[in-house]
Amino acid sequence: MKYFFNDLNAYEKAKLKSKNNPNEFWGGLAKTFVWQKTWDKVLEYNFKSADVKWFLGGKLNITENCLDRHLKYQPKKTAIIFEPNDVNESSIHISYEDLHSKVCKVANMLKANGATKGDRICLYMPMIPELAIAVLACARIGAIHSVVFGGFSASALSARINDAQCKILITADGGFRGSKITPLKLIADKALENCPSIKRNIVYKRTNKKINWNNIDVWWHEELEKVDDNCDAEIMDSEDPLFILYTSGSTGEPKGMVHTCGGYMVYTAYSFQNVFQYQKKDVYWCTADIGWITGHSYIVYGPLLVGATTVIYEGVPSYPDYGRFWKICNKHKVNQFYTAPTAIRTLQKQSLKYVEKYDLSYLKVLGSVGEPINEEAWRWYDKYIGNHKCPIVDTWWQTETGGILISSLAGITKQKPTYATLPMPGIEAVLLDDYGNEINGEAKGVLAIKAPWPSIARTIWGNHERYKSIYFSKYPGYYFPGDGALRDDRGNFRITGRVDDVVIVSGHNLGTAPIENIINKHPKVVESAVVGFPHNIKGSALCVFVIANTLVDENRLANELSALVSKTIGPIAKPDRLLVVNGLPKTRSGKIMRRILRKLIDGKDQEIGDVSTLLNPNTIIEIKDKLQIRAVNLG
Ligand code: WTA
């Protein structure tokens, strides 16, 4: 790939070119893909009306780029390695040739079941290769996929199906997840009671457990027998929607972010190749679920677009024990490993014997995504997993951005612990003050992006006004991602967290993430969350929720943490309350729901709303009880 910067010189040149001549830069990059018709114009946009179009008039099908074009020179190369939940079930290698054939067959099956271009198809499946195959099959025929994470509840699923008016659902009888089985079909049946738009439910047999059967249900394997594997790729306009993916907002209904064919293809391949520095024979593994954007862009599309070998893993990091990730890295000789800080922190608290048992010498690059990575987790990842020889790419991006916007390029640009570092060539990231003025040099502010990049979401499905208002209205002329950031004197960005996670204590702005970082350094702390609550003198004060790794004396721990924070940041950052809990409310992707903690500590339990989509809604009951009996007051 011409746009593969494998040294600093190439990177600097690209940076310059992207600034001086963005159309030539992006157009040149797009030319490295297969198009059925070249575009007439590279870019047209208006941030005021929130309209962005890339590669206008271009015609393509992303699956020809993910599959067909690799058949010429690497048909036998492994595209997907599937590692099942059960260690006794063998892993599966699917070559590019086989993947092509499977995708075409499933595409024909979808057509035979009534799917046509532009229809929405909902995928509610376990982390098995068939999920990736179904995603690609939709893209093959121009149907718009909407993957809903297999851990969501029936009401969350039906809300998403109804919002997009999906015509077909693809699910499975169930999915394996650690020692448990997720009864996907049962949940889907419940959801479908309220989803009149669904005309067909295609069921993949995974667990072989007994399920109910309804008249819209058909078996995946039976339907496949009826079709062959010849399926021409549908010709798509560059700006035709490729998929919808829902992301939760800080308020209101989930937002169905819409990504389109051309731009998304160009940017995911470009960012994957450059950030991870993928080389031809490497094995790459991203531990995310395909139900999240990370899975879409960096398990399926990005890696397949560049002809990589990508691992799909069905289980959880703690099953059958906490060595599972490292065992898989060892088994498949993984070269690039991409995970989330929450996983790193969990694994870091376990005995090192789980790491030391395995040969991790094949690892070349480590990645982190989803939230700011605290320094302690970064150091542990670097030392015990990377053996100080693997660059760590801390990749900042969002469902809305489609691909990584800020990150170091492994081994090419400099890393800096807890910093996502520099924007990718072509990305104009800036810092704004509260009034929307750009600030220069070393500074702190809100992050904003000044010009569009190819994989920016084009709209919120069915609600362009909402899209415009959330991302383009607060700071006119910019895309506003909702994150705060610091910039050092070399231009490195450190994402400090959502701007709504800032607490003003006695007139001082305090990011809760840095305080958590310090608290997490305490040897007895597994994880913590710091939130603000109303305080009659300070305006707001801080409450820290802590998960401890042993039984602790809460008063003593509170004092120790208070001293630690005071010492590191200053007395102003000292928390006023401390609560030791067994769990923190988290989203399915592992993010702590600080919003819920804020409501709980503020006594506004009735405003919490629907918690059924949380990973662990029971934590709320525990926290409520504990807040009444024994939060330690330090104030
Ligand atoms: C946060 C996940 C700090 C950020 C790809 C963003 C991060 C939100 C990082 C998007 C990072 C993601 N450092 N914060 N490296 N990566 N975030 O849509 O607040 O699930 O706005 O996309 O996660 O989450 P989403």
Side-chain angles (χ1 to χ4, degrees):
M1 195 194 203
K2 198 169 130 213
Y3 281 72
F4 184 23
F5 323 131
N6 44 13
D7 62 42
L8 205 54
N9 189 24
Y11 165 83
E12 295 292 358
K13 264 195 183 149
K15 208 151 198 173
L16 212 64
K17 183 165 176 188
S18 71
K19 272 211 175 86
N20 295 339
N21 201 337
N23 280 0
E24 211 173 274
F25 177 78
W26 293 116
L29 173 56
K31 274 190 197 141
T32 63
F33 295 82
V34 176
W35 295 76
Q36 286 151 350
K37 178 187 167 284
T38 315
W39 53 94
D40 309 313
K41 195 173 175 192
V42 172
L43 169 67
E44 209 174 84
Y45 80 101
N46 178 350
F47 271 181
K48 211 166 162 201
S49 58
D51 290 314
V52 179
K53 291 191 172 90
W54 280 92
F55 312 116
L56 291 85
K59 305 282 177 196
L60 77 154
N61 188 293
I62 194 168
T63 68
E64 288 195 322
N65 287 277
C66 287
L67 302 169
D68 304 58
R69 77 165 160 163
H70 303 314
L71 298 186
K72 286 188 208 116
Y73 62 97
Q74 55 170 29
K76 306 281 179 215
K77 178 172 173 176
T78 300
I80 291 174
I81 299 176
F82 173 54
E83 179 64 30
N85 179 66
D86 183 349
V87 278
N88 298 316
E89 195 181 323
S90 9
S91 44
I92 294 171
H93 286 63
I94 304 174
S95 68
Y96 271 92
E97 195 173 55
D98 288 347
L99 186 61
H100 179 268
S101 149
K102 284 173 192 287
V103 167
C104 287
K105 258 191 116 155
V106 174
N108 282 337
M109 164 175 86
L110 291 173
K111 280 197 209 162
N113 278 279
T116 53
K117 182 175 175 177
D119 285 343
R120 276 78 60 206
I121 299 186
C122 179
L123 313 181
Y124 183 65
M125 296 178 79
M127 268 293 282
I128 52 177
E130 286 70 19
L131 172 52
I133 291 166
V135 159
L136 295 164
C138 289
R140 187 81 177 172
I141 62 168
I144 303 168
H145 55 80
S146 166
V147 183
V148 175
F149 173 60
F152 274 127
S153 66
S155 63
L157 175 61
S158 62
R160 285 159 176 75
I161 289 175
N162 290 333
D163 184 72
Q165 288 291 292
C166 296
K167 190 169 174 187
I168 294 177
L169 173 68
I170 308 181
T171 188
D173 52 354
F176 297 112
R177 204 175 147 76
S179 56
K180 300 195 186 99
I181 284 182
T182 317
L184 294 169
K185 175 69 166 66
L186 187 76
I187 302 167
D189 283 347
K190 201 155 170 239
L192 292 190
E193 286 171 12
N194 304 311
C195 299
S197 63
I198 295 283
K199 304 294 178 227
R200 185 71 84 229
N201 182 19
I202 301 173
V203 186
Y204 182 82
K205 191 181 271 184
R206 173 72 183 128
T207 59
N208 233 339
K209 298 275 179 224
K210 208 172 166 300
I211 51 170
N212 280 331
W213 205 248
N214 302 314
N215 54 12
I216 60 165
D217 298 340
V218 290
W219 281 113
W220 167 295
H221 58 272
E222 288 179 3
E223 292 305 293
L224 271 189
E225 278 172 16
K226 303 177 190 165
V227 293
D228 65 21
D229 64 356
N230 295 312
C231 180
D232 285 344
E234 186 74 33
I235 300 177
M236 304 297 286
D237 189 88
S238 173
E239 280 300 321
D240 278 338
L242 173 64
F243 66 86
I244 303 171
L245 184 62
Y246 287 85
T247 181
S248 42
S250 46
T251 54
E253 294 296 304
K255 303 169 283 191
M257 305 312 308
V258 177
H259 284 282
T260 54
C261 296
Y264 180 81
M265 169 179 79
V266 169
Y267 196 82
T268 49
Y270 162 75
S271 50
F272 172 77
Q273 180 80 83
N274 285 298
V275 168
F276 296 99
Q277 292 289 305
Y278 183 86
Q279 308 279 338
K280 224 173 162 189
K281 295 202 167 126
D282 290 346
V283 173
Y284 160 89
W285 180 24
C286 166
T287 70
D289 193 287
I290 294 175
W292 310 120
I293 192 66
T294 308
H296 281 58
S297 302
Y298 300 113
I299 294 179
V300 183
Y301 286 113
L304 297 178
L305 281 164
V306 309
T309 299
T310 177
V311 177
I312 293 184
Y313 172 52
E314 185 186 33
V316 292
S318 55
Y319 181 81
D321 63 45
Y322 285 100
R324 189 65 163 124
F325 274 8
W326 319 129
K327 190 183 170 106
I328 296 171
C329 285
N330 187 162
K331 179 175 174 188
H332 298 298
K333 302 188 168 64
V334 170
N335 303 110
Q336 288 90 5
F337 176 75
Y338 191 27
T339 195
T342 177
I344 301 167
R345 282 197 297 269
T346 306
L347 297 173
Q348 170 197 359
K349 300 291 172 183
Q350 315 305 323
S351 159
L352 273 177
K353 73 169 197 235
Y354 291 120
V355 179
E356 286 161 352
K357 252 164 86 178
Y358 301 106
D359 176 8
L360 299 179
S361 64
Y362 296 95
L363 286 171
K364 296 197 284 192
V365 176
L366 301 176
S368 168
V369 60
E371 55 176 312
I373 179 166
N374 52 303
E375 185 156 357
E376 221 207 350
W378 196 101
R379 300 260 172 229
W380 184 85
Y381 201 25
D382 178 44
K383 180 169 177 188
Y384 295 105
I385 307 305
N387 196 18
H388 295 306
K389 70 175 179 55
C390 301
I392 297 179
V393 289
D394 179 353
T395 62
W396 175 83
W397 59 298
Q398 309 177 293
T399 304
E400 296 85 333
T401 70
I404 297 166
L405 298 194
I406 305 182
S407 171
S408 54
L409 309 188
I412 307 295
T413 62
K414 277 206 179 115
Q415 61 188 28
K416 179 170 177 178
T418 76
Y419 280 71
T421 74
L422 302 173
M424 297 281 296
I427 303 300
E428 282 190 72
V430 296
L431 283 181
L432 302 179
D433 66 16
D434 291 344
Y435 305 100
N437 301 314
E438 277 186 36
I439 31 186
N440 296 318
E442 207 175 337
K444 187 175 166 187
V446 298
L447 185 63
I449 317 288
K450 221 174 158 170
W453 60 99
S455 65
I456 185 175
R458 302 300 194 261
T459 192
I460 292 175
W461 182 262
N463 199 343
H464 196 67
E465 275 307 307
R466 189 175 177 207
Y467 177 67
K468 200 167 87 179
S469 129
I470 295 176
Y471 303 104
F472 298 94
S473 300
K474 190 157 182 197
Y475 300 100
Y478 299 90
Y479 168 81
F480 171 56
D483 282 325
L486 292 177
R487 191 174 45 208
D488 73 6
D489 56 356
R490 301 181 152 219
N492 290 306
F493 285 94
R494 174 184 185 152
I495 312 303
T496 47
R498 303 294 306 174
V499 266
D500 40 13
D501 282 340
V502 168
V503 184
I504 304 189
V505 179
S506 303
H508 298 271
N509 270 13
L510 293 175
T512 51
I515 303 174
E516 289 169 8
N517 288 347
I518 291 160
I519 289 172
N520 292 345
K521 285 195 176 133
H522 191 285
K524 291 199 174 123
V525 173
V526 177
E527 196 164 26
S528 68
V530 172
V531 297
F533 68 95
H535 187 280
N536 55 4
I537 295 170
K538 304 176 179 181
S540 291
L542 300 174
C543 175
V544 40
F545 295 81
V546 162
I547 303 177
N549 56 11
T550 55
L551 264 183
V552 289
D553 173 335
E554 296 201 10
N555 279 305
R556 195 163 150 203
L557 182 64
N559 287 326
E560 285 172 9
L561 292 178
S562 192
L564 197 61
V565 172
S566 184
K567 200 174 113 205
T568 328
I569 301 187
I572 179 68
K574 262 164 61 172
D576 273 57
R577 296 184 85 183
L578 173 121
L579 200 65
V580 177
V581 294
N582 289 313
L584 292 163
K586 286 186 177 174
T587 63
R588 298 279 177 175
S589 59
K591 278 198 190 101
I592 300 171
M593 290 294 288
R594 292 179 178 76
R595 183 181 65 80
I596 292 180
L597 295 174
R598 279 196 290 269
K599 294 281 178 211
L600 284 171
I601 189 157
D602 202 10
K604 295 188 173 145
D605 311 5
Q606 56 314 336
E607 287 177 26
I608 288 175
D610 179 19
V611 295
S612 62
T613 60
L614 290 187
L615 187 65
N616 47 5
N618 288 342
T619 52
I620 294 177
I621 299 163
E622 186 212 10
I623 292 173
K624 243 157 100 172
D625 289 343
K626 286 205 168 156
L627 271 169
Q628 276 161 14
I629 350 173
R630 56 162 214 270
V632 177
N633 281 305
L634 293 158

